Amino acid sequence: MLAWPDEQLKQMIPTAEVPRAFNVGTAGCPVHGKKVYAKGGTYPWVTDPNRPFKIKCPVGGEWYPSNDFYAYFRGGMKDRSLLTGPYADDGWGWVGPNGERYWLVGYACHWGSWRRFALNGLDSLAQAYLLTGDRRYAHKAGVILVKIARTYPALDYCQQSRYSQISGGNYHGKILNCIWETGVFTNLARAYDAIWDAIDNDKALAELYGYPSGEAVRNLIESNLLEDGIDAIFAGKIRGNFGMHQRALASGAIVRQTGPMRKWLDGILTKDTASHSHIGLNYALYNLVYRDGMPYETSPGYCFGWTRNLYTTAAVLAKADINLFELPKLRSMTDAPLDMICIDRHTPALGDAGNVWGGLTPKSPGVYQTAYRAYGDARYARWLERIGGTGEKSFKTFDSLFDPPIKVDASAKATPQAKASSRLMDGYGMALLRNAANTMGVSLYYGMRGGHGHFDRLHFDLYANGQPMMPDLGYPDFMNGYVSGIYSWSKNTINHNTVTVNRVRQQGNDPGVVHHFVDVDGLRAVDVDAPTTYADLTMYRRCLMQIETGPDDGYLVDVFRVRGGEDHVYSLHGPPGAFETVSGEFGEPAKGTLAGPDVAVGALYDDPVRSKPGYKGTYYGYTGSGYSHFVNVRRRLGGSFVGQWQRAKADKARLQIRVLVQPGQELLLADAQVSPIKHKRLIKYVLVRREGKDLDSTFISVIEPFRDRPAVTGVKQLKVPASAVALQIDRGKRHDVVIQQPEAGQMVQLSEAIRTDAAMTLVRYDESGRPAKTIVVGGSDVRIGQRRVTPHRIDGEVTGVNPKARQVIVRFKPGGGPGALDALVDRHVCFVHGQRRVWHPVARAEATGDSVRLTLADDLLIGRFRVERVEGSKIVTRTAMMFDPIYAGSHATDASFGSYTPVRSAKRGEIILTRPMPRPPERSRDVWLCDVGPGDRAALEPVFVDELD
Ligand SMILES: [Zn+2]
Ligand SMILES: [Zn+2]
């Protein structure tokens, strides 16, 4: 950057008059169309600082626009005779013969002139000055910063951008859109802070712009840039995902010496407002972040953005003696991204996150270095070792240059990686089943759907062979309401491993309720029901059992029950790669798509409004089936179905899916693209469909990842009462019998050999046909051969809670105690209050009198609000709260945490209790909602395990 003469540098930085566009348009290149995305990704065009306001096509290498916009810009954008050639653009786009507007200059301005040249250049120069003290860097940074400050108040994304134009003039921002501007403004404030001391003596800088002194230059920057930016944050014109504008505000406030800095900074913690993007952290960390540390946005990628933003905000606030690291939830937000990792290499690609190939989200040395310094937890040091952020590799970010390297001492290195264990993140709504060797994992999502979530409740991902074997399709083509395939396919229900009802995407947004969760040697399982996911259902329930066949091997039994509705489609898919049918005869591929022989791929055939030619609105509201994305649809003619997938780009990473028979079900094989625009690789789906009035379906499949040969050689369905499922699973000469029913209690008789009323029963037979192992979950009357089996019941009542310490006191029933207290650690306790069931993992257990004090691994506090008024048992608040559906059955308490009053319901700022609080809270006081209260039942899943040999 030093090589650019001042005058030229000054000239090249755009002013507010030049429009910005982060996309050229939806049609791609004027010549090569959408191929640019396949070739160059989301932002495919090439820019070059030596060719300002021009972009190069990544496919053909041709440059756009045809006119010299830079000359037009230097002339004050007046001389229209300069708008020459076939692709002339005056800044507001070139309109093609197809009627599409291509924002050629806008794209060049956004990416080339602003981001890559001016903004990145400014950051690098300011950082170089901080590191070297060489004033030449500060001077060039000043040239850029002053030019920006002069135009900053006039920058108005609403009036000057493609995105605002297509969304009706209502999209805020300054240089960039309101979300990205949070980062821009943060960096502008940081750059000013970095070069601040060099400005007063920089006469050349003052002269270049015609100011009498360096002080006058600083006044300009503080009033035109910092003050205007802070105003824009409060006006919502600079506003991002949670944490982004807070970071921007903290950065601006601390750098700007005058103004009510303390009030601004305190507001970051204490502000009480109905706006969930501006609410203070004291509330946000409970009302917008689930108790296990996951924010409400669902996508692990976007959620980790909160953690990252709060860490940088924390670093800024520390300069004003505000310590965010004391907030226990920030620590949970650091742990949660690690808690959900499967087989040590994959973060579930849930919602708008990840891709079919897998990978890790929290690869941020900056966050975990700061976390390790703040908390000293060896887990973070181990993670830093894993992602390369210790020792010589410590210096991964600019800020890390100012701290000594992280040294992991031998003892921390030697601490064995905690044994992989299954985990319920029951606040967020994710069940994780993981074998002890951490080589096979399942993540099943049943939580609420946040802004970056998909319509995918009860979808699961399977990890084995080092790979995602039944992958979520991941991040859509774009984050943009005007691209139909995002809504008809990428976010839609049918593309996920779950059930689509009545040919529409999922509707309701209550989280599922976990009825069973077990992790014992040989069997890991979750059984979760989410009936309000669709209107008119009484059951939408999946029980997934992971049954081990070796230290690294096992198979899944999937039982998905749906009651109600008139059309059910159970959808499963394997990884990208080769597919073959092992058994089952299928017809020829049908013409057209699953939506019909004449329905084109991706057509919105079931949305009369959005499918009209010339429709210009967004596609957020599309609620249809997405069936038009399936091609090569083949119907089964006969036989059972077993299919095998071989994952592409991996050796011996295979999957077998066997779908079992059910009366009236139709079985289809079909292909669909990973995504309609950027990832056109086909994925093989198996779709199982039932139609009829008031349907009652039980979809069953046996799924096995394997390397050379699957262990499962055959499956027989055994005859049992309708609500139960019993399978004989042959593994060569050995076999397993698996019996499952929604709840324990109904007697299931399987010949003389097995009689069970358990929720889950697994009996493993050896080669000579003798039972070698028995696992029973729930139930009270189980006989295997001559033996009577009784699962150990651990059951009690909550007698006290200490939410700040995450502690619950439980008095167990006589004979219902846990035995060794250590045995409780890492297990999950289910707390029951009426219809409400919540699960918490136990971190510590100690005896206290005749009771046990449990310290939980996640938060007990799940909501916090400021009282507006109290009307008997109703409390009204204006505090932003996102989690209304989870509050019924929780307990209201005041800051003394002395008494607990059950909540009947919560909706839009009205919290209705079952009775008035004993001491009604005064106006402006805070009330907390606690997940567990005295009188709740506390129980562990009753399990019996017996290995006979
Ligand atoms: Zn092109
Ligand atoms: Zn998805």
Side-chain angles (χ1 to χ4, degrees):
M1 295 297 288
L2 291 180
W4 295 85
D6 283 0
E7 219 17 89
Q8 200 182 343
L9 196 51
K10 174 182 162 189
Q11 210 157 52
M12 280 178 59
I13 294 162
T15 54
E17 290 72 36
V18 188
R20 282 81 70 196
F22 54 83
N23 285 325
V24 164
T26 47
C29 171
V31 172
H32 302 96
K34 292 185 182 178
K35 278 189 210 148
V36 290
Y37 300 117
K39 176 94 190 222
T42 307
Y43 303 112
W45 297 86
V46 178
T47 59
D48 178 351
N50 292 304
R51 305 186 74 164
F53 302 108
K54 291 226 179 243
I55 54 174
K56 186 170 90 170
C57 170
V59 178
E62 75 278 14
W63 287 86
Y64 299 98
S66 49
N67 56 310
D68 181 355
F69 182 85
Y70 189 32
Y72 178 68
F73 168 65
R74 284 190 314 244
M77 298 171 69
K78 290 192 192 90
D79 185 358
R80 297 190 71 86
S81 72
L82 293 171
L83 305 173
T84 54
Y87 303 103
D89 182 354
D90 66 354
W92 293 93
W94 166 78
V95 179
N98 53 359
E100 286 280 337
R101 189 175 288 271
Y102 295 79
W103 294 71
L104 308 163
V105 168
Y107 189 99
C109 179
H110 174 115
W111 289 105
S113 305
W114 279 116
R115 280 191 76 153
R116 293 171 191 155
F117 187 74
L119 299 172
N120 287 357
L122 174 64
D123 289 347
S124 304
L125 289 164
Q127 292 177 351
Y129 173 62
L130 271 187
L131 293 176
T132 63
D134 184 336
R135 284 174 187 259
R136 288 176 305 157
Y137 294 121
H139 173 75
K140 292 291 182 197
V143 172
I144 299 175
L145 197 56
V146 172
K147 178 81 185 276
I148 295 174
R150 284 157 67 99
T151 199
Y152 207 73
L155 284 158
D156 180 358
Y157 206 76
C158 256
Q159 308 292 328
Q160 302 154 356
S161 69
R162 165 182 179 264
Y163 206 75
S164 190
Q165 193 179 85
I166 61 175
S167 49
N170 203 14
Y171 201 91
H172 287 293
K174 295 287 282 180
I175 299 174
L176 308 185
N177 67 69
C178 61
I179 299 176
W180 288 349
E181 191 72 13
T182 60
V184 171
F185 183 70
T186 301
N187 287 353
L188 292 172
R190 283 178 61 134
Y192 175 58
D193 195 31
I195 65 163
W196 179 85
D197 70 333
I199 292 176
D200 278 10
N201 293 320
D202 192 343
K203 286 209 179 63
L205 178 63
E207 276 167 21
L208 179 69
Y209 286 100
Y211 292 97
S213 65
E215 201 189 342
V217 169
R218 283 197 290 107
N219 283 340
L220 167 87
I221 295 172
E222 295 214 8
S223 60
N224 259 32
L225 176 60
L226 296 180
E227 194 171 305
D228 190 76
I230 290 169
D231 287 349
I233 294 170
F234 284 115
K237 292 180 179 175
I238 299 180
R239 191 185 77 185
N241 304 35
F242 195 86
M244 290 180 170
H245 41 277
Q246 285 85 352
R247 179 189 60 178
L249 174 61
S251 306
I254 279 190
V255 173
R256 181 161 162 74
Q257 313 271 315
T258 53
M261 176 184 93
R262 196 75 223 175
K263 190 173 148 235
W264 289 337
L265 296 182
D266 286 345
I268 291 175
L269 284 171
T270 61
K271 189 166 184 176
D272 171 49
T273 159
S275 152
H276 61 77
S277 58
H278 287 97
I279 186 117
L281 281 174
N282 286 351
Y283 301 102
L285 291 179
Y286 300 96
N287 301 347
L288 310 181
V289 179
Y290 294 109
R291 57 187 152 92
D292 29 36
M294 286 300 284
Y296 73 86
E297 299 206 58
T298 309
S299 146
Y302 282 93
C303 289
F304 190 64
W306 288 48
T307 312
R308 251 197 329 253
N309 291 326
L310 288 178
Y311 266 77
T312 43
T313 307
V316 178
L317 291 178
K319 293 181 191 165
D321 291 320
I322 297 174
N323 184 359
L324 293 191
F325 296 106
E326 286 172 350
L327 303 171
K329 208 43 144 322
L330 187 60
R331 181 138 185 209
S332 300
M333 291 172 72
T334 319
D335 285 326
L338 305 182
D339 290 339
M340 67 169 65
I341 293 172
C342 289
I343 63 169
D344 200 35
R345 11 180 140 175
H346 301 290
T347 299
L350 190 70
D352 299 331
N355 58 55
V356 289
W357 305 107
L360 289 163
T361 296
K363 278 164 72 173
S364 171
V367 165
Y368 288 94
Q369 286 172 343
T370 309
Y372 182 62
R373 291 195 178 98
Y375 302 114
D377 188 336
R379 182 185 197 194
Y380 303 145
R382 283 199 302 272
W383 178 244
L384 284 166
E385 281 273 290
R386 171 83 167 72
I387 61 173
T390 56
E392 286 172 0
K393 295 180 186 156
S394 289
F395 305 112
K396 284 286 168 66
T397 61
F398 178 72
D399 291 324
S400 69
L401 295 173
F402 300 89
D403 286 309
I406 301 250
K407 289 204 182 77
V408 181
D409 61 45
S411 69
K413 261 188 199 168
T415 314
Q417 190 87 29
K419 174 174 97 77
S421 56
S422 297
R423 169 84 197 255
L424 264 187
M425 298 174 79
D426 189 48
Y428 179 46
M430 179 178 273
L432 295 147
L433 309 178
R434 289 180 286 225
N435 67 346
N438 207 8
T439 48
M440 190 168 154
V442 168
S443 68
L444 180 147
Y445 189 70
Y446 60 89
M448 289 174 70
R449 177 179 54 257
H452 285 285
H454 291 177
F455 295 82
D456 62 352
R457 193 163 296 121
L458 302 193
H459 163 86
F460 72 93
D461 269 37
L462 166 65
Y463 302 91
N465 306 314
Q467 316 288 348
M469 295 303 293
M470 298 179 69
D472 194 294
L473 304 186
Y475 203 89
D477 283 326
F478 303 94
M479 213 28 62
N480 182 336
Y482 297 91
V483 180
S484 66
I486 298 171
Y487 301 89
S488 60
W489 180 247
S490 298
K491 281 174 174 276
N492 209 347
T493 306
I494 191 69
N495 95 52
H496 295 86
N497 295 315
T498 185
V499 173
T500 293
V501 176
N502 294 348
R503 299 174 293 272
V504 293
R505 74 175 187 199
Q506 293 180 351
Q507 299 159 337
N509 204 15
D510 296 347
V513 173
V514 173
H515 288 262
H516 298 286
F517 180 70
V518 274
D519 178 1
V520 293
D521 182 27
L523 172 70
R524 283 164 282 275
V526 62
D527 185 350
V528 50
D529 194 8
T532 60
T533 298
Y534 279 104
D536 307 327
L537 295 190
T538 54
M539 186 178 278
Y540 187 74
R541 182 163 176 168
R542 172 167 250 161
C543 177
L544 206 50
M545 291 174 275
Q546 186 191 61
I547 296 167
E548 240 173 57
T549 53
D552 296 320
D553 298 301
Y555 59 88
L556 299 180
V557 174
D558 181 29
V559 181
F560 203 134
R561 294 178 172 89
V562 186
R563 288 201 190 131
E566 54 191 36
D567 186 314
H568 298 167
V569 178
Y570 171 71
S571 173
L572 296 175
H573 63 273
F579 169 84
E580 64 177 324
T581 309
V582 176
S583 94
E585 271 180 74
F586 288 83
E588 287 302 306
K591 183 169 153 296
T593 63
L594 180 60
D598 304 318
V599 179
V601 177
L604 303 183
Y605 74 104
D606 49 2
D607 187 329
V609 174
R610 291 175 183 80
S611 59
K612 273 216 183 82
Y615 174 73
K616 286 271 182 269
T618 66
Y619 294 93
Y620 296 116
Y622 175 78
T623 58
S625 69
Y627 290 178
S628 63
H629 288 274
F630 289 103
V631 295
N632 303 327
V633 180
R634 300 169 62 196
R635 288 183 158 69
R636 189 176 66 157
L637 304 172
S640 58
F641 169 74
V642 181
Q644 286 185 1
W645 284 255
Q646 161 64 52
R647 188 183 181 282
K649 301 188 194 181
D651 228 15
K652 294 189 179 181
R654 299 183 190 160
L655 176 77
Q656 175 164 283
I657 296 181
R658 181 185 306 260
V659 176
L660 303 189
V661 175
Q662 178 183 192
Q665 83 180 11
E666 182 187 27
L667 211 133
L668 308 166
L669 285 176
D671 296 317
Q673 293 170 342
V674 173
S675 73
I677 296 176
K678 286 206 260 177
H679 305 287
K680 289 172 173 284
R681 186 188 273 268
L682 291 173
I683 299 263
K684 182 67 75 184
Y685 278 75
V686 51
L687 303 169
V688 190
R689 183 175 202 169
R690 291 185 83 225
E691 287 176 281
K693 273 252 164 314
D694 202 14
L695 280 177
D696 182 350
S697 299
T698 303
F699 299 99
I700 311 167
S701 59
V702 176
I703 298 166
E704 185 186 3
F706 65 99
R707 287 178 293 278
D708 295 306
R709 196 166 300 118
V712 174
T713 49
V715 176
K716 288 189 204 71
Q717 282 166 273
L718 307 173
K719 217 172 150 47
V720 286
S723 62
V725 167
L727 306 176
Q728 176 178 322
I729 292 162
D730 294 328
R731 301 187 292 122
K733 289 176 183 158
R734 288 168 292 183
H735 70 272
D736 297 342
V737 171
V738 177
I739 304 160
Q740 191 273 339
Q741 55 180 333
E743 295 303 336
Q746 175 186 236
M747 182 54 70
V748 177
Q749 172 93 45
L750 266 193
S751 71
E752 287 303 293
I754 302 176
R755 225 175 96 85
T756 175
D757 67 345
M760 294 174 220
T761 309
L762 166 66
V763 185
R764 173 154 286 177
Y765 293 88
D766 64 15
E767 294 189 5
S768 60
R770 280 192 314 242
K773 183 169 191 167
T774 303
I775 300 176
V776 172
V777 180
S780 57
D781 187 0
V782 181
R783 274 169 207 277
I784 311 295
Q786 299 305 306
R787 294 188 65 217
R788 185 165 179 158
V789 167
T790 316
H792 181 42
R793 216 163 267 288
I794 305 175
D795 208 324
E797 185 187 320
V798 174
T799 57
V801 273
N802 178 359
K804 286 249 154 171
R806 300 181 167 186
Q807 287 174 340
V808 177
I809 313 279
V810 178
R811 190 187 298 123
F812 288 103
K813 289 178 185 160
L821 290 181
D822 275 358
L824 291 175
V825 174
D826 283 343
R827 289 193 66 182
H828 292 68
V829 179
C830 180
F831 295 97
V832 183
H833 182 102
Q835 294 299 302
R836 177 186 172 83
R837 304 167 67 92
V838 293
W839 299 70
H840 288 265
V842 175
R844 214 168 48 239
E846 325 151 84
T848 168
D850 62 346
S851 301
V852 175
R853 180 189 296 117
L854 302 174
T855 304
L856 306 172
D858 58 357
D859 218 329
L860 278 166
L861 295 169
I862 55 170
R864 179 180 182 177
F865 59 89
R866 200 171 288 178
V867 174
E868 184 72 18
R869 60 176 193 279
V870 178
E871 299 164 7
S873 52
K874 176 164 100 181
I875 309 178
V876 177
T877 180
R878 285 192 313 199
T879 307
M881 302 178 84
M882 295 284 283
F883 300 152
D884 285 350
I886 71 168
Y887 292 135
S890 70
H891 303 260
T893 180
D894 63 22
S896 70
F897 300 112
S899 70
Y900 294 82
T901 309
V903 175
R904 191 186 301 283
S905 66
K907 203 166 187 184
R908 292 198 203 100
E910 291 193 355
I911 289 84
I912 317 278
L913 310 179
T914 55
R915 54 177 183 268
M917 288 171 76
R919 264 186 305 151
E922 288 165 32
R923 184 163 191 269
S924 295
R925 290 301 170 88
D926 281 356
V927 167
W928 299 79
L929 297 174
C930 187
D931 213 28
V932 176
D936 288 2
R937 195 182 142 216
L940 274 79
E941 192 73 77
V943 176
F944 170 88
V945 184
D946 185 26
E947 197 124 18
L948 292 177
D949 42 7

